[in-house]
Amino acid sequence: MRYIFLSLIIIFYSNILKAVEFKGKFEQGSFIIGKAQKGSKVEIDNRKIRLTKDGYFVFGLDRDRKNNVLIKIYENGNIKIIEKKILKRDYKIQKIDGLPKKQVTPPPEVYERIKKDNILIGKARSINTSYDYFKDQFIKPIDKYIITGVYGSQRILNGKPRRPHYGVDFHAPEGTPVKAMMDGEVTLAKNDMYFTGGTIIFDHGHGVSTLYMHMKDVNVRVGQKITQGDIVGTLGQSGRATGPHLDIRLNWFEVKLDPASILNLD
Ligand SMILES: [Zn+2]
């Protein structure tokens, strides 16, 4: 009898250990870290994703995600299926007037340039490395700022509805030093992209990347390893910007996430 009791405890306990844990809200735009048993395999919406040696994995939810997310965990020959509802968010409407006309509707002669920029950005965002920096707490890129733009807001530029804003805008004086939010590797460093101006993309592993735009100076190069807190350049207003600010982005591959979901913003 005692033996049975003991084994029940063991079974119960090992089930707790095997439970999948998540950090992050199941909400539109959210960044979510999961932990499964070592050596498991994980699929998110039937897409195979990478696990760290300790069983950590990461994924993100689109701004307009409506359907439930399907998480399949294969461990020890068993499949665990977890289905989670996604909380919907209300996004702001942001009107910006007085932008130069060519910045709202680019002239045809720059289409090729924009296309090239987008290909470079897309390539950098599709990188899938085994770095596991994404697991740690990100820090803010600058210390003193005013938030002037938030994720998800619908933009109306000079009265014309445009793509939603996917970044968080930190307003601060031009030339303010900008820090890396997390360890990583630089996968794109450009001084002069059409929309984004001085642009840096950092890879933090497993498809997680962050992007800085409108930089005045870009002081890193592609392939460079970065430590959290390193100064990577200065804040500017290059590209399509109405004033000096740092616009930061967070991506899980092609999915654009809310940078506020990884930062403690005041
Ligand atoms: Zn912005």
Side-chain angles (χ1 to χ4, degrees):
M1 187 59 204
R2 178 178 284 179
Y3 176 73
I4 292 168
F5 182 60
L6 209 78
S7 25
L8 277 176
I9 287 179
I10 290 168
I11 289 166
F12 181 63
Y13 191 56
S14 59
N15 272 335
I16 290 176
L17 285 180
K18 275 189 212 165
V20 183
E21 297 161 42
F22 294 104
K23 196 180 125 194
K25 272 190 207 164
F26 282 84
E27 178 181 82
Q28 291 177 334
S30 203
F31 174 89
I32 297 166
I33 291 175
K35 173 123 172 29
Q37 233 188 340
K38 271 184 187 179
S40 307
K41 289 199 171 76
V42 176
E43 287 175 17
I44 303 293
D45 297 328
N46 299 314
R47 171 184 190 160
K48 262 187 210 160
I49 60 163
R50 205 184 254 279
L51 262 77
T52 67
K53 275 186 225 137
D54 320 328
Y56 285 96
F57 57 94
V58 63
F59 60 97
L61 304 168
D62 186 79
R63 175 190 186 267
D64 301 308
R65 172 89 192 207
K66 286 177 186 75
N67 48 327
N68 295 351
V69 61
L70 192 67
I71 303 151
K72 283 187 198 161
I73 315 240
Y74 301 82
E75 52 182 36
N76 302 328
N78 299 315
I79 308 182
K80 200 179 286 174
I81 297 178
I82 302 166
E83 204 178 334
K84 295 267 196 185
K85 278 208 173 99
I86 309 302
L87 285 172
K88 281 183 194 146
R89 292 172 60 175
D90 284 325
Y91 298 110
K92 284 186 187 171
I93 292 179
Q94 190 176 29
K95 287 181 182 159
I96 304 174
D97 293 315
L99 283 170
K101 205 179 161 221
K102 62 167 186 166
Q103 300 252 321
V104 178
T105 310
E109 60 269 25
V110 297
Y111 288 176
E112 274 307 304
R113 191 177 151 203
I114 293 169
K115 219 167 117 186
K116 271 187 200 159
D117 287 355
N118 288 340
I119 289 169
L120 287 174
I121 291 173
K123 264 190 190 161
R125 287 175 45 186
S126 67
I127 290 171
N128 183 0
T129 63
S130 60
Y131 290 140
D132 62 355
Y133 305 127
F134 64 85
K135 288 188 324 189
D136 300 320
Q137 180 58 52
F138 286 71
I139 61 163
K140 288 177 273 194
I142 48 179
D143 298 322
K144 278 183 77 182
Y145 57 84
I146 299 166
I147 301 282
T148 51
V150 295
Y151 175 89
S153 54
Q154 181 65 54
R155 293 203 139 174
I156 301 174
L157 306 181
N158 292 358
K160 291 179 185 142
R162 283 293 180 266
R163 273 184 300 179
H165 185 243
Y166 288 99
V168 172
D169 293 331
F170 292 79
H171 172 77
E174 186 158 359
T176 301
V178 173
K179 294 182 276 192
M181 296 187 284
M182 177 50 69
D183 294 8
E185 184 178 331
V186 176
T187 52
L188 182 145
K190 290 272 170 197
N191 279 309
D192 186 27
M193 295 186 113
Y194 183 77
F195 284 112
T196 58
T199 309
I200 309 175
I201 300 183
F202 305 94
D203 166 35
H204 307 292
H206 294 216
V208 176
S209 63
T210 53
L211 184 153
Y212 292 175
M213 59 177 84
H214 310 311
M215 306 279 290
K216 181 168 186 266
D217 302 295
V218 170
N219 296 333
V220 290
R221 51 183 166 70
V222 170
Q224 193 175 329
K225 300 274 182 359
I226 297 293
T227 302
Q228 184 177 64
D230 284 354
I231 305 293
V232 294
T234 60
L235 183 146
Q237 48 183 322
S238 54
R240 189 171 77 182
T242 45
H245 74 284
L246 175 71
D247 183 338
I248 65 163
R249 304 290 168 105
L250 171 68
N251 307 303
W252 177 60
F253 298 110
E254 76 287 355
V255 188
K256 296 170 176 173
L257 311 178
D258 187 353
S261 66
I262 54 164
L263 296 173
N264 298 312
L265 297 175
D266 327 312

